[in-house]
Amino acid sequence: MNRASLDKRPEEMAAMFDDVAPNYDIVNDILSLGQTRRWRRIVVDAVGAKPGQRVLDLAAGTGTSSEPYADAGVHVVACDFSLGMLKVGKRRRPDIDFVAGDATNLPFADDSFDASTISFGLRNVVEPQKALREMLRVTKPGGKLVVAEFSHPSCSPFRTVYSEYLMRALPPIAKKVASNPAAYVYLAESIRAWPNQEKLSGWLNEAGWESVQYRNLSGGIVAVHRATKPLAAAARTVAAD
């Protein structure tokens, strides 16, 4: 896979991430100029999970995003469709529950989690809007959703510079530090093809989430969207059945 598309093939996506799994976190730190860890800390703060609560960390990869929850006494479930990523994560953190799963058909019961979150993975899902509905299903009424994803810089001149970095600077850097440079060319293209902040907010509302808001990070390179599952969601589901 070397061209970005919102019509993705799950088996190709999984194979791509399996291939880059061993060095994925290190390469991400290099390509983001060290910002990835800061962004993830902001996501953890936005989720605001308490010890004893249950959090779904979707598209968790090697579990880097899941570790802060586990370290704080939160029961986190790291879910991803890449077995390669999950194996790397399980070797490093055997104390975390790593579960293989499809974001559009999650292997969890309704109302299972106090919060659900996904960081830099929603744009790689075949049907992202369906994934948002699935996350709503497995989150308890009143529970939180936090989505961190690459987005569109709010300043037009900066947006142009950022786009040039993605397509001109990132691939050569990836060739030097990554095991599969073509995967990072895809990732750069997928970022450019991804909807902007307002469009993603609309998707969240359409999926059934409420109180949707977002915060731009690093000038809009990343946006953190937050939302809540309606307290009446469970009742509406029962009525619909």
Side-chain angles (χ1 to χ4, degrees):
M1 177 182 295
N2 58 10
R3 302 300 299 177
S5 169
L6 296 183
D7 298 320
K8 307 170 188 74
R9 297 178 183 175
E11 66 279 3
E12 290 185 0
M13 294 295 299
M16 182 186 76
F17 281 101
D18 287 348
D19 191 41
V20 301
N23 298 315
Y24 185 72
D25 295 317
I26 295 174
V27 174
N28 275 353
D29 282 342
I30 293 172
L31 296 180
S32 69
L33 305 179
Q35 291 297 298
T36 303
R37 296 179 187 275
R38 170 179 168 266
W39 295 334
R40 292 193 188 281
R41 285 197 299 271
I42 291 172
V43 170
V44 171
D45 289 343
V47 172
K50 306 297 182 184
Q53 289 189 320
R54 198 162 186 250
V55 171
L56 170 64
D57 186 16
L58 190 57
T62 62
T64 301
S65 57
S66 306
E67 290 178 323
Y69 302 105
D71 293 342
V74 175
H75 180 192
V76 62
V77 176
C79 183
D80 201 281
F81 69 159
S82 167
L83 294 179
M85 289 280 195
L86 295 173
K87 288 177 182 177
V88 171
K90 193 62 177 179
R91 283 197 299 267
R92 190 179 70 240
R93 289 296 301 258
D95 59 312
I96 294 177
D97 289 336
F98 286 87
V99 177
D102 178 354
T104 64
N105 187 22
L106 292 171
F108 308 112
D110 296 356
D111 307 332
S112 297
F113 297 94
D114 296 287
S116 295
T117 183
I118 181 168
S119 295
F120 311 109
L122 187 60
R123 74 182 190 285
N124 298 319
V125 176
V126 179
E127 297 178 83
Q129 290 152 293
K130 187 174 181 180
L132 292 174
R133 293 193 296 272
E134 272 291 272
M135 295 176 82
L136 182 78
R137 179 183 66 78
V138 303
T139 303
K140 296 177 182 178
K144 292 182 181 179
L145 171 72
V146 177
V147 178
E149 189 53 87
F150 289 106
S151 198
H152 295 239
S154 52
C155 174
S156 182
F158 179 47
R159 190 182 308 125
T160 301
V161 172
Y162 177 59
S163 181
E164 289 296 310
Y165 166 74
L166 280 177
M167 300 316 302
R168 294 192 179 185
L170 190 150
I173 294 173
K175 287 181 181 179
K176 295 181 179 181
V177 300
S179 59
N180 182 357
Y184 287 89
V185 173
Y186 157 76
L187 291 173
E189 292 177 340
S190 72
I191 291 170
R192 290 213 308 182
W194 185 246
N196 64 17
Q197 293 90 325
E198 295 298 335
K199 182 69 173 179
L200 180 52
S201 294
W203 284 2
L204 288 165
N205 282 311
E206 290 167 7
W209 295 94
E210 66 179 14
S211 302
V212 177
Q213 55 185 298
Y214 67 84
R215 171 186 175 186
N216 283 328
L217 306 181
S218 302
I221 288 177
V222 168
V224 176
H225 283 71
R226 292 180 294 170
T228 303
K229 180 172 178 175
L231 289 172
R236 287 203 303 269
T237 300
V238 172
D241 293 341

